[in-house]
Amino acid sequence: NDGIVLRPFVQANWWHNSRTNSIVMGQDRIYSNLPKNIWEFKVGMNSQLNSKVTVQLGITSQFGQDNYKQIGGEFGLKYRW
C-alpha cells in the first residue's frame, strides 16, 4: 500500500488517587492540589506517511472536582530505521 494510512482514535480514562501527593525538598514538603478523581478524554489521529514514518496528533481534556480543568495536546513522530 503506497498511500497514507489514517487511523483516528478516541480514548477515555478515569484517574483515581486515594492519597494526597507530595514531594519533599530538603525540609520542605509541597502538596499537590490535584483532585482525587480526574476524568480524561483524548481524540486524535495516527498517520502512517510511508513504511518508515508515522505521525500522531492528539488533544486531551481533563476534568475533576473543585473545578479542575486541563487541556493539552500531543505530537509524536516515529521513524523506523
Side-chain angles (χ1 to χ4, degrees):
N1 187 358
D2 295 329
I4 295 175
V5 177
L6 300 174
R7 293 187 183 103
F9 68 87
V10 176
Q11 183 177 347
N13 295 303
W14 170 41
W15 300 95
H16 174 71
N17 188 2
S18 58
R19 297 182 179 169
T20 301
N21 293 320
S22 66
I23 187 169
V24 177
M25 291 190 280
Q27 300 296 319
D28 298 323
R29 179 175 294 271
I30 301 169
Y31 294 93
S32 78
N33 60 352
L34 294 174
K36 295 203 181 283
N37 292 294
I38 296 175
W39 295 272
E40 177 181 73
F41 302 98
K42 289 184 181 183
V43 294
M45 180 79 62
N46 290 321
S47 177
Q48 187 169 348
L49 301 180
N50 56 45
S51 63
K52 294 187 179 234
V53 179
T54 304
V55 175
Q56 179 180 347
L57 297 168
I59 297 173
T60 304
S61 296
Q62 294 182 337
F63 304 93
Q65 293 102 343
D66 299 325
N67 211 22
Y68 174 81
K69 295 176 191 164
Q70 183 170 314
I71 297 175
E74 59 187 38
F75 171 77
L77 178 67
K78 179 166 63 171
Y79 181 80
R80 293 183 183 161
W81 302 99

